[in-house]
């Protein structure tokens, strides 16, 4: 067997399972080896049933003494309750939608369980525990992997065990010299320690090396990207003068001090001979768009074109509508491009872009396509920057002759991380909200869903609008989570006189647009949605945000969602519905209830959950866990950065054999199709 082999060479993996693995990006044995657990469960201690404590995960065993079936969500016989006893006491195990398991849990049979007890009405219960016949449950320190679709933890763990013998063949991006210089453990020891740690210490050594490795690859890639992104080199320089004032003077409101300062910082930068890159950070609702507009105006007024890329079609369209209104007044032509623009229309837009007729182009990542050519591109703006990858940004920039770059993000980035990912950027911070904003009142709702929806109805009767956000599109088996479809039907039945609509990622673009437009025009009262509405959407008349299964969202996400209301002059409300008893969920809800401060929330998020939320993993492909470790071991950042510099000094093209592995990993992380000179 070879590490490049497909998974089907493993015992127990046929084409169907292999397909399921492929769906989460695992195709070869090597992919499997480098797919690390997202967390671990400490199952070293088994507990007697009478010692189970609510909230504390535990392994326990017992014999089935009784089972009973009941209805669940209107389906008869769908709920299964199993009472098990170990002589010290009895505990009730609950499976929603688990009626079929009555064939497994036969009276008198013994099982091992792992789960988190909760206190139920009739005593301690354990909902949906992991179970196996006695002796077969995985114990010790157990890795938990990300799985989805047809994949189970068991599939993952079994295959991980099967590839264990190949660790010694895995290719290593850390050279022996580096390993020695920084006293790192071997790759084999690292892999063992991440998948099957024998102790906390083993895990610690493994993770240190893993993080070093990740940062080394990342830094090498970023340094390469930097040298070819032309930052700081001669680029587009705009004429001196306060052109942007012509634009800002016409605004229907007064800019905040922070906005004025940022606009000034950016516009003076644009006049410099060298190409500039600037990150604009501002909390949800702080008014980043108008800051970008001012910079774009100056660019256009000085004879260049500007482009703005947004992460979702809905957001891009919203910007387009706004820009058409605002720039139309000045006779400036704005174009729009996304995957859903018709071919004939697209051809025309591309033509007008090339001959300079279109001065501002707005769109989604469809803007990156090679046939999108500008005539004089002077400024590239990305909105909600954390949603894009480095290579997307660079590709857009390559469409001009070293144009300026402006990145906007509502996600406050802790300093340590900012240094790694945005080291080359200047930063402007909008640390002030427009005046007159009333704080969104936030409430965590438990067991009082009906009251919450009566409140929603009340607000609608007053002419205001509401969002209801759910984590899923469709009902999904085995998960006790509300789906958009389910909530939509439920609300329609409950409030027949209210206009309700739905929008989710599974809908066609035209349908999504139509739904959003109706809502923006006030024709829809309640919009049921998935997180497609998370970023940037601006409908000031919407004053209520209801989030179902709030425990399924991260803090930063909850904050973003709440930011969709409180945008007009009416008092707004945000309700977090959850039945979860998990401590993290409770903490999160409490934090959101208590504060509106995005920077504070980001720090809490980092503490509670790791930086995945703060820093979309899509951007860099790093596991959350590693980034968390980076923020703790800042020495790794320094060391790995120095090593990356060393490597590129000695071997600028990474053409030496000893750098072959790191080269291929950089290429994998950043994509090979932009000019990394690889
Ligand atoms: P975000 O920073 O979240 O992208 P937006 O740019 O969408 O925020 O701005 C949110 C809303 O605030 C918009 O309706 C915008 O017109 C309005 N706005 C921006 N700046 C000001 C200001 N200085 N005074 C009043 N309203 C403003
Ligand atoms: Mg915005």
């Amino acid at each position: 067997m070879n590490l490049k082999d497909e998974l089907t060479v493993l015992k127990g993996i046929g084409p169907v399972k292999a397909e399921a693995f492929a769906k989460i990006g695992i195709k070869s044995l090597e992919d499997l080896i480098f797919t690390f657990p997202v967390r671990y469960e400490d199952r070293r201690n088994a507990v007697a049933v009478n010692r189970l404590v609510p909230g504390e995960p535990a392994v326990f065993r017992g014999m089935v003494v009784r089972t009973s079936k009941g209805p669940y969500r209107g389906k008869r016989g769908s709920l299964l309750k199993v009472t098990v006893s170990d002589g010290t006491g009895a505990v009730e195990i609950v499976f929603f939608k688990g009626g079929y398991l009555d064939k497994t849990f036969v009276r008198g049979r013994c099982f091992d369980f792992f789960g988190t007890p909760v206190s139920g009405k009739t005593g301690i219960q354990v909902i949906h525990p992991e179970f196996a016949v006695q002796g077969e449950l995985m114990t010790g320190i157990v890795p938990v992997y990300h799985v989805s679709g047809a994949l189970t933890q068991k599939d993952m763990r079994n295959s991980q065990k099967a590839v264990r013998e190949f660790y010694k063949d895995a290719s290593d991006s850390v050279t022996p010299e580096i390993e020695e210089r920084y006293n790192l453990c071997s790759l084999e020891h690292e892999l063992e320690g991440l998948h099957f740690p024998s102790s906390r210490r083993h895990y610690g050594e493994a993770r240190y090396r893993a993080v070093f490795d990740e940062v080394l690859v990342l830094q090498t890639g970023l340094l390469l990207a930097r040298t070819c992104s032309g930052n700081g080199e001669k680029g587009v320089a705009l004429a001196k003068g306060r052109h942007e004032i012509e634009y800002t003077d016409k605004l229907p409101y007064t800019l905040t001090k922070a906005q004025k300062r940022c606009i000034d910082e950016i516009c003076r930068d644009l006049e410099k001979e060298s190409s500039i890159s600037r990150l604009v950070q501002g909390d949800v609702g702080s008014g980043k768009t108008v800051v970008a507009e001012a910079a774009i105006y100056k660019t256009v007024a000085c004879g260049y074109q500007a482009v703005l890329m947004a992460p979702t079609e809905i957001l891009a369209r919203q910007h387009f509508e706004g820009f058409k209104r605002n720039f139309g007044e000045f006779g400036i032509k704005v174009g729009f491009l996304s995957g859903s623009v018709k071919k004939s229309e697209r051809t025309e837009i591309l033509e007008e872009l090339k001959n300079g007729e279109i001065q501002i182009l707005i769109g989604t990542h469809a803007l990156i396509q090679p046939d999108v050519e500008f005539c004089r591109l002077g400024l590239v703006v990305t909105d909600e920057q954390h949603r894009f990858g480095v290579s997307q940004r660079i590709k857009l920039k390559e469409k001009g002759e070293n144009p300026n770059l402006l990145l906007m993000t509502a996600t406050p980035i802790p300093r340590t991380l900012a240094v790694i990912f945005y080291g080359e950027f200047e930063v402007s911070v909008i640390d002030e909200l427009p005046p007159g904003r009333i704080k969104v009142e936030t409430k965590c709702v438990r067991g009082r869903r009906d009251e919450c929806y009566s409140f929603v109805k009340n607000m609608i009767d007053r002419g205001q609008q509401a969002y209801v956000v759910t984590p899923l599109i469709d009902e999904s088996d085995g998960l006790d989570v509300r789906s958009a479809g389910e909530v939509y039907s439920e609300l329609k039945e409950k409030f027949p006189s209210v206009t309700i609509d739905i929008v989710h990622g599974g809908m066609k673009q035209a349908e999504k647009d139509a739904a959003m437009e109706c809502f923006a025009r006030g024709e829809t009262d309640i919009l049921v949605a998935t997180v497609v509405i998370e970023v940037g959407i601006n409908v000031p008349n919407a004053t209520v945000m209801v989030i179902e299964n709030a425990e399924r969202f991260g803090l930063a996400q909850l904050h973003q969602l709440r930011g969709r209301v409180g945008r007009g002059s009416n008092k707004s409300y945000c309700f977090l519905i959850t039945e979860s008893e998990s401590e993290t969920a409770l903490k999160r809800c409490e934090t959101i209830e208590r504060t509106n401060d995005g920077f504070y929330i980001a720090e809490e998020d980092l503490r509670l959950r790791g930086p995945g939320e703060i820093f979309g993993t899509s951007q860099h492909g790093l596991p959350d866990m590693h980034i968390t470790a980076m923020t703790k071991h800042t020495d790794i950042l320094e060391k790995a950065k120095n090593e990356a510099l060393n490597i590129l000094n000695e071997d600028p093209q990474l053409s030496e054999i000893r750098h072959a592995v790191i080269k291929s990993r950089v290429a994998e992380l950043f994509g090979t199709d932009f000019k990394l000179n690889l």
Side-chain angles (χ1 to χ4, degrees):
M1 269 193 262
N2 179 307
L3 283 177
K4 302 280 177 219
D5 282 348
E6 288 179 12
L7 295 188
T8 43
V9 300
L10 295 177
K11 223 174 85 190
I13 297 193
V16 177
K17 284 280 177 220
E19 184 61 30
F21 272 104
K23 277 222 173 88
I24 55 170
I26 305 175
K27 297 191 175 113
S28 66
L29 298 184
E30 186 167 39
D31 295 339
L32 192 60
I33 285 181
F34 286 99
T35 302
F36 299 129
V38 285
R39 60 188 177 86
Y40 302 85
E41 279 166 359
D42 187 350
R43 302 189 190 178
R44 286 175 295 186
N45 299 317
V47 171
V49 164
N50 68 346
R51 288 287 171 87
L52 289 172
V53 178
E56 288 181 17
V59 176
F60 57 96
R61 57 183 41 154
M63 187 175 79
V64 178
V65 291
R66 188 169 50 245
T67 59
S68 73
K69 281 198 197 184
Y72 178 62
R73 295 245 175 105
K75 275 196 205 121
R76 265 178 45 204
S78 168
L79 177 90
L80 182 72
K81 289 183 177 173
V82 184
T83 309
V84 302
S85 159
D86 69 347
T88 70
V91 59
E92 190 171 72
I93 314 278
V94 182
F95 296 97
F96 301 107
K97 300 184 187 172
Y100 65 96
L101 287 170
D102 62 347
K103 292 182 197 65
T104 310
F105 291 105
V106 175
R107 237 180 74 185
R109 275 198 199 160
C110 290
F111 292 89
D112 289 345
F113 297 92
F114 174 75
T116 306
V118 294
S119 38
K121 283 188 203 102
T122 52
I124 287 194
Q125 288 184 324
V126 187
I127 319 248
H128 289 192
E130 197 176 316
F131 61 90
V133 292
Q134 223 168 40
E136 303 235 315
L137 190 77
M138 208 169 172
T139 53
I141 299 174
V142 175
V144 180
Y145 296 89
H146 164 71
V147 290
S148 72
L151 274 191
T152 63
Q153 281 299 334
K154 205 165 165 187
D155 292 328
M156 196 64 157
R157 287 176 190 148
N158 286 342
S159 341
Q160 287 291 0
K161 272 191 204 149
V163 288
R164 221 166 150 172
E165 58 180 297
F166 300 106
Y167 288 170
K168 56 184 181 325
D169 305 328
S171 49
D172 196 350
S173 41
V174 177
T175 58
E177 302 91 77
I178 296 179
E179 209 169 274
E180 200 171 318
R181 200 170 310 148
Y182 297 102
N183 206 3
L184 304 173
C185 68
S186 72
L187 179 59
E188 216 176 325
H189 190 77
E190 170 194 322
L191 295 169
E192 274 290 336
L194 290 178
H195 291 292
F196 305 102
S198 56
S199 65
R200 197 168 276 280
R201 174 164 177 185
H202 185 187
Y203 170 69
E205 289 162 359
R207 191 168 74 162
Y208 192 89
R209 189 198 205 271
V211 173
F212 190 99
D213 193 352
E214 298 285 3
V215 182
L216 181 67
V217 173
L218 183 73
Q219 284 302 330
T220 310
L222 283 175
L223 286 171
L224 270 171
R226 237 159 260 179
T227 34
C228 63
S229 72
N231 181 37
E233 288 169 27
K234 204 165 161 12
V236 171
L238 303 185
K240 290 203 190 316
R242 304 192 45 138
H243 306 85
E244 68 277 7
I245 301 248
E246 294 160 21
Y247 186 81
T248 52
D249 273 354
K250 288 242 166 115
L251 289 170
Y253 47 77
T254 321
L255 291 169
T256 62
K257 269 210 207 81
Q259 284 172 319
K260 278 195 197 132
R261 175 173 32 81
C262 288
I263 291 175
D264 202 49
E265 279 168 3
I266 297 163
C267 290
R268 300 298 72 81
D269 244 9
L270 295 176
E271 295 164 1
K272 292 185 182 150
E273 281 295 316
S274 55
S275 155
I276 63 126
S277 299
R278 197 174 264 278
L279 182 69
V280 178
Q281 276 190 43
D283 205 351
V284 186
S286 60
K288 290 182 289 296
T289 316
V290 68
V291 170
E293 283 168 5
I296 288 173
Y297 182 84
K298 165 139 180 130
T299 304
V300 172
C302 295
Y304 286 91
Q305 290 168 304
V307 59
L308 183 145
M309 178 163 73
T312 63
E313 171 112 12
I314 291 179
L315 191 52
R317 286 221 182 254
Q318 182 184 290
H319 281 318
F320 177 56
E321 295 305 326
F323 274 53
K324 258 198 311 200
R325 248 185 321 215
N326 300 345
F327 286 94
E329 246 183 83
F330 296 92
I332 294 172
K333 182 152 188 187
V334 187
F336 178 83
L337 207 58
S338 80
S340 69
V341 170
K342 277 197 223 78
K343 195 153 179 246
S344 55
E345 209 179 319
R346 186 169 186 277
T347 315
E348 196 183 316
I349 291 167
L350 292 186
E351 187 53 46
E352 291 181 0
L353 190 63
K354 216 169 149 182
N355 67 27
E357 222 172 295
I358 289 181
Q359 291 152 294
I360 305 174
L361 183 65
I362 305 216
T364 59
H365 47 264
L367 296 172
I368 293 172
Q369 284 154 5
D371 58 346
V372 179
E373 292 171 58
F374 293 82
C375 135
R376 276 189 97 197
L377 182 59
L379 178 66
V380 171
V381 185
T382 59
D383 193 15
E384 306 297 345
Q385 160 61 23
H386 59 292
R387 295 294 191 94
F388 294 106
V390 178
S391 64
Q392 286 172 315
R393 185 208 301 158
I394 291 183
K395 271 188 222 156
L396 199 51
K397 209 180 154 181
E398 282 173 352
K399 293 189 180 293
E401 283 175 17
N402 211 3
N404 296 302
L405 187 60
L406 198 59
L407 314 179
M408 300 197 288
T409 182
T411 324
I413 301 155
R415 258 194 69 77
T416 36
L417 291 179
V419 172
I420 326 179
F421 294 97
Y422 294 116
E424 80 260 49
F425 293 99
E426 302 288 327
V427 178
S428 291
V429 182
I430 312 182
D431 49 6
E432 185 183 357
L433 293 182
R437 291 276 162 82
I438 315 172
K439 187 169 180 260
V440 179
E441 195 168 319
T442 308
K443 276 259 163 334
C444 194
V445 179
R446 288 178 169 275
R448 285 160 56 190
R449 237 174 128 246
D450 283 346
E451 258 174 72
C452 169
Y453 280 109
S454 306
F455 184 90
V456 171
K457 173 74 165 55
N458 236 319
M459 298 308 274
I460 284 163
D461 290 342
R462 294 193 202 170
Q464 299 173 17
Q465 293 164 277
Y467 296 99
V468 176
V469 175
T470 72
L472 300 174
I473 302 176
D474 296 312
E475 204 165 340
S476 119
D477 282 324
L479 275 178
D480 192 24
V481 169
R482 280 175 198 278
S483 68
E486 200 180 336
V487 170
Y488 174 69
S489 330
E490 221 179 87
L491 291 177
K492 279 202 113 144
E493 200 167 312
K494 202 173 158 103
F495 304 124
S497 63
V498 172
T499 324
I500 306 176
D501 206 351
I502 183 166
V503 58
H504 59 71
M507 283 162 52
K508 288 218 183 71
Q509 194 51 51
E511 296 167 345
K512 276 194 277 192
D513 291 345
M516 276 319 298
E517 273 160 33
C518 281
F519 189 71
R521 281 199 303 264
E523 290 161 16
T524 312
D525 300 317
I526 301 182
L527 187 65
V528 179
T530 55
V531 285
V532 290
I533 60 145
E534 181 195 335
V535 288
I537 296 302
N538 188 31
V539 181
N541 190 47
T543 55
V544 189
M545 166 64 68
V546 180
I547 304 173
E548 291 270 4
N549 288 102
E551 75 281 358
R552 311 266 306 180
F553 298 92
L555 265 182
Q557 226 175 359
L558 291 173
H559 181 62
Q560 270 280 350
L561 286 170
R562 174 171 58 187
R564 298 311 109 217
V565 296
R567 298 184 151 249
S569 49
N570 286 317
K571 183 167 168 70
S572 294
Y573 301 84
C574 174
F575 298 104
L576 312 171
I577 301 184
T578 179
E579 300 305 325
S580 166
E581 309 237 355
S582 112
E583 205 170 308
T584 326
L586 291 177
K587 277 234 178 71
R588 249 186 252 155
C589 289
E590 204 183 283
T591 307
I592 290 281
E593 260 182 343
R594 199 178 56 227
T595 177
N596 254 317
D597 179 342
F599 279 83
Y600 175 76
I601 288 172
E603 268 165 33
E604 277 299 294
D605 208 19
L606 191 65
R607 245 171 28 82
L608 284 176
R609 183 191 156 103
E613 285 300 311
I614 295 180
F615 228 78
T617 353
S618 57
Q619 163 129 1
H620 46 68
L622 298 191
D624 283 11
M625 199 165 68
H626 292 177
I627 309 183
T628 313
M630 282 183 210
T631 57
K632 288 192 185 124
H633 301 282
T634 36
D635 65 310
I636 301 185
L637 303 182
E638 288 295 317
K639 288 173 184 164
K641 193 165 185 171
N642 285 338
E643 255 341 292
L645 278 168
N646 274 347
I647 291 175
L648 289 175
N649 255 338
E650 288 172 14
D651 182 12
Q653 305 289 316
L654 298 181
S655 44
E656 293 172 24
I657 287 287
R658 63 188 172 126
H659 297 139
V661 178
I662 196 165
K663 177 173 171 171
S664 75
R665 294 212 21 225
V666 167
E668 201 180 311
L669 192 59
F670 288 80
T672 37
D673 47 347
F674 73 105
K675 285 186 243 148
L676 262 196
N677 304 326
L678 282 178

